[in-house]
Amino acid sequence: MIATAVKEQSAVSEDINKNIVWISTDAESVAGSSNQSSHNAENLVNQSHKLSK
């Protein structure tokens, strides 16, 4: 019974670890996309200033 509980706890810990890695990877992707969006917004602002002159 204890061995079964240890195996189950180990499996749950593995799942949690995998999910944390997945969340971390996605968070890095979102951060990269946000930086690119910010850069694109700055470019649009600069272009609109040029067009308004």
Side-chain angles (χ1 to χ4, degrees):
M1 189 168 208
I2 292 174
T4 302
V6 169
K7 286 181 184 179
E8 288 175 4
Q9 189 174 26
S10 178
V12 169
S13 294
E14 260 186 63
D15 286 344
I16 290 170
N17 188 47
K18 287 177 186 177
N19 288 334
I20 289 171
V21 170
W22 180 78
I23 290 168
S24 176
T25 301
D26 280 0
E28 288 175 11
S29 177
V30 168
S33 295
S34 295
N35 287 335
Q36 184 63 45
S37 293
S38 176
H39 179 72
N40 290 341
E42 288 177 26
N43 285 340
L44 284 172
V45 167
N46 291 335
Q47 288 178 6
S48 68
H49 286 344
K50 288 178 184 178
L51 289 173
S52 66
K53 290 181 181 183

mmCIF file of all heavy atoms in Angstrom:
data_model
loop_
_atom_site.group_PDB
_atom_site.id
_atom_site.type_symbol
_atom_site.label_atom_id
_atom_site.label_comp_id
_atom_site.label_asym_id
_atom_site.label_seq_id
_atom_site.Cartn_x
_atom_site.Cartn_y
_atom_site.Cartn_z
ATOM 1 N N MET A 1 0.811 -1.187 0.000
ATOM 2 C CA MET A 1 0.000 0.000 0.000
ATOM 3 C C MET A 1 0.865 1.266 0.000
ATOM 4 O O MET A 1 0.586 2.198 -0.732
ATOM 5 C CB MET A 1 -0.933 -0.024 1.207
ATOM 6 C CG MET A 1 -1.957 1.054 1.193
ATOM 7 S SD MET A 1 -3.185 0.696 2.457
ATOM 8 C CE MET A 1 -4.554 1.489 1.762
ATOM 9 N N ILE A 2 1.896 1.300 0.829
ATOM 10 C CA ILE A 2 2.780 2.468 0.867
ATOM 11 C C ILE A 2 3.530 2.605 -0.451
ATOM 12 O O ILE A 2 3.686 3.709 -0.977
ATOM 13 C CB ILE A 2 3.758 2.384 2.062
ATOM 14 C CG1 ILE A 2 2.986 2.517 3.371
ATOM 15 C CG2 ILE A 2 4.830 3.452 1.967
ATOM 16 C CD1 ILE A 2 3.821 2.316 4.616
ATOM 17 N N ALA A 3 3.984 1.475 -1.005
ATOM 18 C CA ALA A 3 4.709 1.517 -2.280
ATOM 19 C C ALA A 3 3.829 2.081 -3.385
ATOM 20 O O ALA A 3 4.293 2.856 -4.226
ATOM 21 C CB ALA A 3 5.208 0.124 -2.646
ATOM 22 N N THR A 4 2.558 1.715 -3.395
ATOM 23 C CA THR A 4 1.624 2.228 -4.390
ATOM 24 C C THR A 4 1.448 3.731 -4.237
ATOM 25 O O THR A 4 1.466 4.479 -5.223
ATOM 26 C CB THR A 4 0.261 1.522 -4.269
ATOM 27 O OG1 THR A 4 0.450 0.113 -4.437
ATOM 28 C CG2 THR A 4 -0.703 2.021 -5.314
ATOM 29 N N ALA A 5 1.319 4.180 -3.008
ATOM 30 C CA ALA A 5 1.156 5.615 -2.751
ATOM 31 C C ALA A 5 2.400 6.378 -3.188
ATOM 32 O O ALA A 5 2.300 7.475 -3.746
ATOM 33 C CB ALA A 5 0.870 5.855 -1.273
ATOM 34 N N VAL A 6 3.567 5.820 -2.952
ATOM 35 C CA VAL A 6 4.825 6.465 -3.357
ATOM 36 C C VAL A 6 4.889 6.565 -4.873
ATOM 37 O O VAL A 6 5.275 7.608 -5.423
ATOM 38 C CB VAL A 6 6.041 5.706 -2.789
ATOM 39 C CG1 VAL A 6 7.332 6.211 -3.413
ATOM 40 C CG2 VAL A 6 6.085 5.830 -1.281
ATOM 41 N N LYS A 7 4.501 5.500 -5.571
ATOM 42 C CA LYS A 7 4.501 5.523 -7.038
ATOM 43 C C LYS A 7 3.519 6.565 -7.563
ATOM 44 O O LYS A 7 3.825 7.303 -8.505
ATOM 45 C CB LYS A 7 4.146 4.145 -7.590
ATOM 46 C CG LYS A 7 5.246 3.133 -7.475
ATOM 47 C CD LYS A 7 4.823 1.793 -8.075
ATOM 48 C CE LYS A 7 5.875 0.733 -7.870
ATOM 49 N NZ LYS A 7 5.461 -0.560 -8.411
ATOM 50 N N GLU A 8 2.343 6.628 -6.972
ATOM 51 C CA GLU A 8 1.342 7.599 -7.404
ATOM 52 C C GLU A 8 1.824 9.027 -7.154
ATOM 53 O O GLU A 8 1.667 9.909 -7.994
ATOM 54 C CB GLU A 8 0.014 7.354 -6.695
ATOM 55 C CG GLU A 8 -0.706 6.110 -7.167
ATOM 56 C CD GLU A 8 -1.969 5.820 -6.370
ATOM 57 O OE1 GLU A 8 -2.330 6.616 -5.492
ATOM 58 O OE2 GLU A 8 -2.589 4.775 -6.650
ATOM 59 N N GLN A 9 2.437 9.243 -5.999
ATOM 60 C CA GLN A 9 2.945 10.573 -5.669
ATOM 61 C C GLN A 9 4.066 10.959 -6.632
ATOM 62 O O GLN A 9 4.159 12.106 -7.078
ATOM 63 C CB GLN A 9 3.448 10.601 -4.229
ATOM 64 C CG GLN A 9 3.789 12.002 -3.742
ATOM 65 C CD GLN A 9 4.133 12.007 -2.271
ATOM 66 O OE1 GLN A 9 4.570 11.007 -1.715
ATOM 67 N NE2 GLN A 9 3.948 13.155 -1.639
ATOM 68 N N SER A 10 4.898 10.007 -6.977
ATOM 69 C CA SER A 10 5.976 10.254 -7.929
ATOM 70 C C SER A 10 5.412 10.619 -9.305
ATOM 71 O O SER A 10 5.902 11.542 -9.965
ATOM 72 C CB SER A 10 6.872 9.024 -8.034
ATOM 73 O OG SER A 10 7.888 9.234 -8.983
ATOM 74 N N ALA A 11 4.389 9.911 -9.734
ATOM 75 C CA ALA A 11 3.768 10.194 -11.030
ATOM 76 C C ALA A 11 3.145 11.591 -11.037
ATOM 77 O O ALA A 11 3.272 12.339 -12.020
ATOM 78 C CB ALA A 11 2.715 9.136 -11.356
ATOM 79 N N VAL A 12 2.487 11.950 -9.946
ATOM 80 C CA VAL A 12 1.878 13.279 -9.842
ATOM 81 C C VAL A 12 2.969 14.348 -9.869
ATOM 82 O O VAL A 12 2.842 15.372 -10.545
ATOM 83 C CB VAL A 12 1.010 13.394 -8.575
ATOM 84 C CG1 VAL A 12 0.599 14.837 -8.321
ATOM 85 C CG2 VAL A 12 -0.222 12.506 -8.700
ATOM 86 N N SER A 13 4.058 14.113 -9.165
ATOM 87 C CA SER A 13 5.171 15.066 -9.148
ATOM 88 C C SER A 13 5.752 15.242 -10.543
ATOM 89 O O SER A 13 6.084 16.356 -10.953
ATOM 90 C CB SER A 13 6.270 14.600 -8.194
ATOM 91 O OG SER A 13 5.807 14.613 -6.871
ATOM 92 N N GLU A 14 5.876 14.148 -11.273
ATOM 93 C CA GLU A 14 6.364 14.223 -12.656
ATOM 94 C C GLU A 14 5.425 15.052 -13.520
ATOM 95 O O GLU A 14 5.864 15.881 -14.320
ATOM 96 C CB GLU A 14 6.496 12.813 -13.252
ATOM 97 C CG GLU A 14 7.883 12.266 -13.252
ATOM 98 C CD GLU A 14 7.954 10.938 -13.991
ATOM 99 O OE1 GLU A 14 7.694 10.898 -15.209
ATOM 100 O OE2 GLU A 14 8.280 9.947 -13.320
ATOM 101 N N ASP A 15 4.133 14.826 -13.385
ATOM 102 C CA ASP A 15 3.146 15.592 -14.152
ATOM 103 C C ASP A 15 3.226 17.076 -13.822
ATOM 104 O O ASP A 15 3.173 17.927 -14.719
ATOM 105 C CB ASP A 15 1.728 15.082 -13.883
ATOM 106 C CG ASP A 15 1.435 13.756 -14.551
ATOM 107 O OD1 ASP A 15 2.207 13.358 -15.465
ATOM 108 O OD2 ASP A 15 0.436 13.118 -14.171
ATOM 109 N N ILE A 16 3.363 17.386 -12.548
ATOM 110 C CA ILE A 16 3.475 18.784 -12.138
ATOM 111 C C ILE A 16 4.727 19.406 -12.749
ATOM 112 O O ILE A 16 4.691 20.518 -13.279
ATOM 113 C CB ILE A 16 3.481 18.907 -10.595
ATOM 114 C CG1 ILE A 16 2.095 18.573 -10.046
ATOM 115 C CG2 ILE A 16 3.918 20.301 -10.161
ATOM 116 C CD1 ILE A 16 2.039 18.436 -8.534
ATOM 117 N N ASN A 17 5.829 18.686 -12.701
ATOM 118 C CA ASN A 17 7.081 19.184 -13.272
ATOM 119 C C ASN A 17 6.939 19.437 -14.771
ATOM 120 O O ASN A 17 7.363 20.481 -15.273
ATOM 121 C CB ASN A 17 8.217 18.201 -13.000
ATOM 122 C CG ASN A 17 9.556 18.765 -13.411
ATOM 123 O OD1 ASN A 17 9.878 19.903 -13.088
ATOM 124 N ND2 ASN A 17 10.334 17.967 -14.118
ATOM 125 N N LYS A 18 6.334 18.505 -15.489
ATOM 126 C CA LYS A 18 6.125 18.683 -16.927
ATOM 127 C C LYS A 18 5.258 19.900 -17.205
ATOM 128 O O LYS A 18 5.523 20.662 -18.135
ATOM 129 C CB LYS A 18 5.481 17.429 -17.532
ATOM 130 C CG LYS A 18 6.408 16.255 -17.639
ATOM 131 C CD LYS A 18 5.676 15.026 -18.179
ATOM 132 C CE LYS A 18 6.553 13.805 -18.151
ATOM 133 N NZ LYS A 18 5.855 12.596 -18.591
ATOM 134 N N ASN A 19 4.215 20.072 -16.397
ATOM 135 C CA ASN A 19 3.330 21.221 -16.593
ATOM 136 C C ASN A 19 4.047 22.535 -16.311
ATOM 137 O O ASN A 19 3.836 23.526 -17.012
ATOM 138 C CB ASN A 19 2.081 21.095 -15.723
ATOM 139 C CG ASN A 19 1.132 20.027 -16.227
ATOM 140 O OD1 ASN A 19 1.114 19.711 -17.404
ATOM 141 N ND2 ASN A 19 0.347 19.476 -15.338
ATOM 142 N N ILE A 20 4.916 22.551 -15.308
ATOM 143 C CA ILE A 20 5.673 23.761 -15.009
ATOM 144 C C ILE A 20 6.611 24.100 -16.163
ATOM 145 O O ILE A 20 6.736 25.265 -16.558
ATOM 146 C CB ILE A 20 6.440 23.610 -13.671
ATOM 147 C CG1 ILE A 20 5.446 23.634 -12.507
ATOM 148 C CG2 ILE A 20 7.489 24.703 -13.515
ATOM 149 C CD1 ILE A 20 6.044 23.290 -11.173
ATOM 150 N N VAL A 21 7.258 23.102 -16.718
ATOM 151 C CA VAL A 21 8.134 23.326 -17.867
ATOM 152 C C VAL A 21 7.325 23.846 -19.051
ATOM 153 O O VAL A 21 7.726 24.797 -19.732
ATOM 154 C CB VAL A 21 8.899 22.037 -18.247
ATOM 155 C CG1 VAL A 21 9.608 22.182 -19.576
ATOM 156 C CG2 VAL A 21 9.885 21.665 -17.149
ATOM 157 N N TRP A 22 6.161 23.267 -19.286
ATOM 158 C CA TRP A 22 5.289 23.696 -20.387
ATOM 159 C C TRP A 22 4.859 25.151 -20.183
ATOM 160 O O TRP A 22 4.901 25.957 -21.110
ATOM 161 C CB TRP A 22 4.076 22.760 -20.453
ATOM 162 C CG TRP A 22 3.104 23.088 -21.523
ATOM 163 C CD1 TRP A 22 3.224 22.813 -22.854
ATOM 164 C CD2 TRP A 22 1.854 23.761 -21.360
ATOM 165 N NE1 TRP A 22 2.111 23.270 -23.521
ATOM 166 C CE2 TRP A 22 1.255 23.862 -22.625
ATOM 167 C CE3 TRP A 22 1.178 24.282 -20.265
ATOM 168 C CZ2 TRP A 22 0.024 24.469 -22.823
ATOM 169 C CZ3 TRP A 22 -0.052 24.887 -20.467
ATOM 170 C CH2 TRP A 22 -0.599 24.975 -21.729
ATOM 171 N N ILE A 23 4.459 25.496 -18.968
ATOM 172 C CA ILE A 23 4.028 26.867 -18.668
ATOM 173 C C ILE A 23 5.198 27.831 -18.859
ATOM 174 O O ILE A 23 5.033 28.913 -19.431
ATOM 175 C CB ILE A 23 3.464 26.958 -17.235
ATOM 176 C CG1 ILE A 23 2.117 26.229 -17.169
ATOM 177 C CG2 ILE A 23 3.329 28.405 -16.784
ATOM 178 C CD1 ILE A 23 1.607 25.998 -15.752
ATOM 179 N N SER A 24 6.369 27.453 -18.409
ATOM 180 C CA SER A 24 7.554 28.302 -18.547
ATOM 181 C C SER A 24 7.885 28.543 -20.019
ATOM 182 O O SER A 24 8.169 29.675 -20.426
ATOM 183 C CB SER A 24 8.746 27.654 -17.843
ATOM 184 O OG SER A 24 9.909 28.407 -18.045
ATOM 185 N N THR A 25 7.825 27.491 -20.810
ATOM 186 C CA THR A 25 8.103 27.611 -22.247
ATOM 187 C C THR A 25 7.082 28.526 -22.916
ATOM 188 O O THR A 25 7.444 29.402 -23.715
ATOM 189 C CB THR A 25 8.087 26.226 -22.919
ATOM 190 O OG1 THR A 25 9.082 25.409 -22.287
ATOM 191 C CG2 THR A 25 8.375 26.309 -24.395
ATOM 192 N N ASP A 26 5.819 28.353 -22.586
ATOM 193 C CA ASP A 26 4.780 29.204 -23.166
ATOM 194 C C ASP A 26 4.918 30.651 -22.702
ATOM 195 O O ASP A 26 4.693 31.582 -23.480
ATOM 196 C CB ASP A 26 3.393 28.668 -22.833
ATOM 197 C CG ASP A 26 2.980 27.520 -23.738
ATOM 198 O OD1 ASP A 26 3.776 27.139 -24.626
ATOM 199 O OD2 ASP A 26 1.862 27.001 -23.558
ATOM 200 N N ALA A 27 5.303 30.847 -21.454
ATOM 201 C CA ALA A 27 5.493 32.201 -20.941
ATOM 202 C C ALA A 27 6.617 32.905 -21.697
ATOM 203 O O ALA A 27 6.509 34.094 -22.029
ATOM 204 C CB ALA A 27 5.792 32.174 -19.447
ATOM 205 N N GLU A 28 7.685 32.182 -21.993
ATOM 206 C CA GLU A 28 8.783 32.757 -22.770
ATOM 207 C C GLU A 28 8.307 33.120 -24.172
ATOM 208 O O GLU A 28 8.673 34.166 -24.716
ATOM 209 C CB GLU A 28 9.949 31.780 -22.843
ATOM 210 C CG GLU A 28 10.696 31.623 -21.545
ATOM 211 C CD GLU A 28 11.783 30.564 -21.615
ATOM 212 O OE1 GLU A 28 12.117 30.083 -22.714
ATOM 213 O OE2 GLU A 28 12.304 30.211 -20.539
ATOM 214 N N SER A 29 7.491 32.278 -24.755
ATOM 215 C CA SER A 29 6.945 32.544 -26.087
ATOM 216 C C SER A 29 6.058 33.785 -26.075
ATOM 217 O O SER A 29 6.138 34.636 -26.970
ATOM 218 C CB SER A 29 6.164 31.330 -26.581
ATOM 219 O OG SER A 29 5.573 31.586 -27.824
ATOM 220 N N VAL A 30 5.214 33.894 -25.068
ATOM 221 C CA VAL A 30 4.326 35.058 -24.944
ATOM 222 C C VAL A 30 5.155 36.330 -24.755
ATOM 223 O O VAL A 30 4.862 37.367 -25.356
ATOM 224 C CB VAL A 30 3.332 34.863 -23.780
ATOM 225 C CG1 VAL A 30 2.612 36.150 -23.445
ATOM 226 C CG2 VAL A 30 2.324 33.771 -24.134
ATOM 227 N N ALA A 31 6.199 36.251 -23.944
ATOM 228 C CA ALA A 31 7.058 37.413 -23.722
ATOM 229 C C ALA A 31 7.722 37.840 -25.025
ATOM 230 O O ALA A 31 7.791 39.039 -25.333
ATOM 231 C CB ALA A 31 8.114 37.104 -22.662
ATOM 232 N N GLY A 32 8.184 36.891 -25.798
ATOM 233 C CA GLY A 32 8.793 37.207 -27.092
ATOM 234 C C GLY A 32 7.795 37.845 -28.039
ATOM 235 O O GLY A 32 8.107 38.825 -28.733
ATOM 236 N N SER A 33 6.589 37.320 -28.071
ATOM 237 C CA SER A 33 5.545 37.890 -28.929
ATOM 238 C C SER A 33 5.176 39.292 -28.476
ATOM 239 O O SER A 33 4.947 40.179 -29.305
ATOM 240 C CB SER A 33 4.302 37.002 -28.920
ATOM 241 O OG SER A 33 4.581 35.750 -29.495
ATOM 242 N N SER A 34 5.143 39.515 -27.174
ATOM 243 C CA SER A 34 4.830 40.845 -26.643
ATOM 244 C C SER A 34 5.909 41.842 -27.034
ATOM 245 O O SER A 34 5.601 42.984 -27.412
ATOM 246 C CB SER A 34 4.702 40.796 -25.120
ATOM 247 O OG SER A 34 3.613 40.003 -24.748
ATOM 248 N N ASN A 35 7.158 41.435 -26.945
ATOM 249 C CA ASN A 35 8.254 42.316 -27.352
ATOM 250 C C ASN A 35 8.159 42.660 -28.834
ATOM 251 O O ASN A 35 8.378 43.806 -29.224
ATOM 252 C CB ASN A 35 9.608 41.675 -27.043
ATOM 253 C CG ASN A 35 9.935 41.654 -25.578
ATOM 254 O OD1 ASN A 35 9.433 42.469 -24.808
ATOM 255 N ND2 ASN A 35 10.771 40.724 -25.164
ATOM 256 N N GLN A 36 7.824 41.676 -29.650
ATOM 257 C CA GLN A 36 7.686 41.922 -31.088
ATOM 258 C C GLN A 36 6.515 42.861 -31.353
ATOM 259 O O GLN A 36 6.611 43.772 -32.184
ATOM 260 C CB GLN A 36 7.486 40.603 -31.848
ATOM 261 C CG GLN A 36 7.440 40.771 -33.357
ATOM 262 C CD GLN A 36 8.738 41.302 -33.915
ATOM 263 O OE1 GLN A 36 9.816 40.843 -33.558
ATOM 264 N NE2 GLN A 36 8.655 42.284 -34.795
ATOM 265 N N SER A 37 5.416 42.675 -30.652
ATOM 266 C CA SER A 37 4.257 43.560 -30.812
ATOM 267 C C SER A 37 4.604 44.988 -30.412
ATOM 268 O O SER A 37 4.207 45.946 -31.079
ATOM 269 C CB SER A 37 3.082 43.067 -29.970
ATOM 270 O OG SER A 37 2.608 41.840 -30.453
ATOM 271 N N SER A 38 5.347 45.138 -29.345
ATOM 272 C CA SER A 38 5.774 46.464 -28.891
ATOM 273 C C SER A 38 6.653 47.125 -29.944
ATOM 274 O O SER A 38 6.485 48.310 -30.257
ATOM 275 C CB SER A 38 6.523 46.348 -27.569
ATOM 276 O OG SER A 38 7.022 47.597 -27.168
ATOM 277 N N HIS A 39 7.573 46.376 -30.489
ATOM 278 C CA HIS A 39 8.456 46.885 -31.549
ATOM 279 C C HIS A 39 7.638 47.305 -32.770
ATOM 280 O O HIS A 39 7.866 48.376 -33.344
ATOM 281 C CB HIS A 39 9.489 45.816 -31.914
ATOM 282 C CG HIS A 39 10.427 46.219 -32.993
ATOM 283 N ND1 HIS A 39 11.431 47.150 -32.808
ATOM 284 C CD2 HIS A 39 10.517 45.822 -34.284
ATOM 285 C CE1 HIS A 39 12.092 47.308 -33.943
ATOM 286 N NE2 HIS A 39 11.561 46.506 -34.860
ATOM 287 N N ASN A 40 6.679 46.478 -33.151
ATOM 288 C CA ASN A 40 5.832 46.802 -34.304
ATOM 289 C C ASN A 40 4.997 48.053 -34.043
ATOM 290 O O ASN A 40 4.822 48.883 -34.948
ATOM 291 C CB ASN A 40 4.911 45.625 -34.643
ATOM 292 C CG ASN A 40 5.667 44.441 -35.209
ATOM 293 O OD1 ASN A 40 6.789 44.569 -35.672
ATOM 294 N ND2 ASN A 40 5.054 43.276 -35.166
ATOM 295 N N ALA A 41 4.511 48.212 -32.825
ATOM 296 C CA ALA A 41 3.733 49.397 -32.471
ATOM 297 C C ALA A 41 4.605 50.654 -32.562
ATOM 298 O O ALA A 41 4.160 51.693 -33.062
ATOM 299 C CB ALA A 41 3.145 49.255 -31.073
ATOM 300 N N GLU A 42 5.843 50.566 -32.094
ATOM 301 C CA GLU A 42 6.762 51.696 -32.198
ATOM 302 C C GLU A 42 7.008 52.065 -33.661
ATOM 303 O O GLU A 42 7.052 53.250 -34.007
ATOM 304 C CB GLU A 42 8.091 51.373 -31.512
ATOM 305 C CG GLU A 42 8.015 51.343 -30.006
ATOM 306 C CD GLU A 42 9.338 50.947 -29.358
ATOM 307 O OE1 GLU A 42 10.403 51.159 -29.973
ATOM 308 O OE2 GLU A 42 9.284 50.422 -28.241
ATOM 309 N N ASN A 43 7.171 51.054 -34.496
ATOM 310 C CA ASN A 43 7.366 51.308 -35.930
ATOM 311 C C ASN A 43 6.148 51.995 -36.533
ATOM 312 O O ASN A 43 6.289 52.920 -37.352
ATOM 313 C CB ASN A 43 7.661 50.011 -36.682
ATOM 314 C CG ASN A 43 9.058 49.506 -36.444
ATOM 315 O OD1 ASN A 43 9.941 50.255 -36.025
ATOM 316 N ND2 ASN A 43 9.271 48.230 -36.694
ATOM 317 N N LEU A 44 4.958 51.573 -36.141
ATOM 318 C CA LEU A 44 3.741 52.209 -36.649
ATOM 319 C C LEU A 44 3.646 53.668 -36.221
ATOM 320 O O LEU A 44 3.259 54.538 -37.009
ATOM 321 C CB LEU A 44 2.506 51.444 -36.192
ATOM 322 C CG LEU A 44 2.207 50.135 -36.900
ATOM 323 C CD1 LEU A 44 1.069 49.417 -36.211
ATOM 324 C CD2 LEU A 44 1.873 50.386 -38.362
ATOM 325 N N VAL A 45 4.002 53.942 -34.981
ATOM 326 C CA VAL A 45 3.995 55.318 -34.483
ATOM 327 C C VAL A 45 4.973 56.157 -35.289
ATOM 328 O O VAL A 45 4.634 57.276 -35.728
ATOM 329 C CB VAL A 45 4.323 55.371 -32.964
ATOM 330 C CG1 VAL A 45 4.617 56.782 -32.519
ATOM 331 C CG2 VAL A 45 3.200 54.772 -32.157
ATOM 332 N N ASN A 46 6.157 55.649 -35.503
ATOM 333 C CA ASN A 46 7.166 56.392 -36.277
ATOM 334 C C ASN A 46 6.683 56.646 -37.706
ATOM 335 O O ASN A 46 6.869 57.753 -38.241
ATOM 336 C CB ASN A 46 8.494 55.653 -36.281
ATOM 337 C CG ASN A 46 9.163 55.642 -34.917
ATOM 338 O OD1 ASN A 46 8.922 56.521 -34.097
ATOM 339 N ND2 ASN A 46 10.008 54.652 -34.671
ATOM 340 N N GLN A 47 6.087 55.665 -38.317
ATOM 341 C CA GLN A 47 5.604 55.820 -39.688
ATOM 342 C C GLN A 47 4.447 56.816 -39.732
ATOM 343 O O GLN A 47 4.368 57.637 -40.664
ATOM 344 C CB GLN A 47 5.167 54.462 -40.256
ATOM 345 C CG GLN A 47 6.336 53.557 -40.560
ATOM 346 C CD GLN A 47 5.892 52.199 -41.067
ATOM 347 O OE1 GLN A 47 4.698 51.955 -41.294
ATOM 348 N NE2 GLN A 47 6.837 51.296 -41.242
ATOM 349 N N SER A 48 3.574 56.781 -38.746
ATOM 350 C CA SER A 48 2.449 57.722 -38.751
ATOM 351 C C SER A 48 2.940 59.159 -38.553
ATOM 352 O O SER A 48 2.397 60.091 -39.138
ATOM 353 C CB SER A 48 1.411 57.357 -37.688
ATOM 354 O OG SER A 48 1.928 57.564 -36.396
ATOM 355 N N HIS A 49 4.007 59.328 -37.736
ATOM 356 C CA HIS A 49 4.593 60.674 -37.573
ATOM 357 C C HIS A 49 5.164 61.163 -38.896
ATOM 358 O O HIS A 49 5.014 62.331 -39.249
ATOM 359 C CB HIS A 49 5.664 60.665 -36.504
ATOM 360 C CG HIS A 49 5.162 60.589 -35.091
ATOM 361 N ND1 HIS A 49 3.864 60.845 -34.719
ATOM 362 C CD2 HIS A 49 5.787 60.252 -33.938
ATOM 363 C CE1 HIS A 49 3.718 60.690 -33.434
ATOM 364 N NE2 HIS A 49 4.882 60.318 -32.917
ATOM 365 N N LYS A 50 5.828 60.276 -39.613
ATOM 366 C CA LYS A 50 6.401 60.666 -40.911
ATOM 367 C C LYS A 50 5.318 61.039 -41.895
ATOM 368 O O LYS A 50 5.467 61.977 -42.673
ATOM 369 C CB LYS A 50 7.262 59.520 -41.472
ATOM 370 C CG LYS A 50 8.561 59.308 -40.741
ATOM 371 C CD LYS A 50 9.324 58.123 -41.335
ATOM 372 C CE LYS A 50 10.588 57.838 -40.551
ATOM 373 N NZ LYS A 50 11.300 56.666 -41.081
ATOM 374 N N LEU A 51 4.219 60.290 -41.894
ATOM 375 C CA LEU A 51 3.127 60.565 -42.831
ATOM 376 C C LEU A 51 2.398 61.856 -42.497
ATOM 377 O O LEU A 51 1.871 62.526 -43.388
ATOM 378 C CB LEU A 51 2.133 59.403 -42.839
ATOM 379 C CG LEU A 51 2.618 58.104 -43.485
ATOM 380 C CD1 LEU A 51 1.602 56.994 -43.271
ATOM 381 C CD2 LEU A 51 2.867 58.313 -44.973
ATOM 382 N N SER A 52 2.370 62.215 -41.231
ATOM 383 C CA SER A 52 1.625 63.421 -40.843
ATOM 384 C C SER A 52 2.416 64.700 -41.091
ATOM 385 O O SER A 52 1.870 65.784 -40.970
ATOM 386 C CB SER A 52 1.221 63.334 -39.362
ATOM 387 O OG SER A 52 2.371 63.360 -38.529
ATOM 388 N N LYS A 53 3.666 64.585 -41.441
ATOM 389 C CA LYS A 53 4.494 65.782 -41.717
ATOM 390 C C LYS A 53 4.353 66.253 -43.129
ATOM 391 O O LYS A 53 4.067 65.699 -44.059
ATOM 392 C CB LYS A 53 5.961 65.490 -41.415
ATOM 393 C CG LYS A 53 6.196 65.337 -39.926
ATOM 394 C CD LYS A 53 7.655 65.073 -39.653
ATOM 395 C CE LYS A 53 7.863 64.902 -38.155
ATOM 396 N NZ LYS A 53 9.233 64.725 -37.785
#
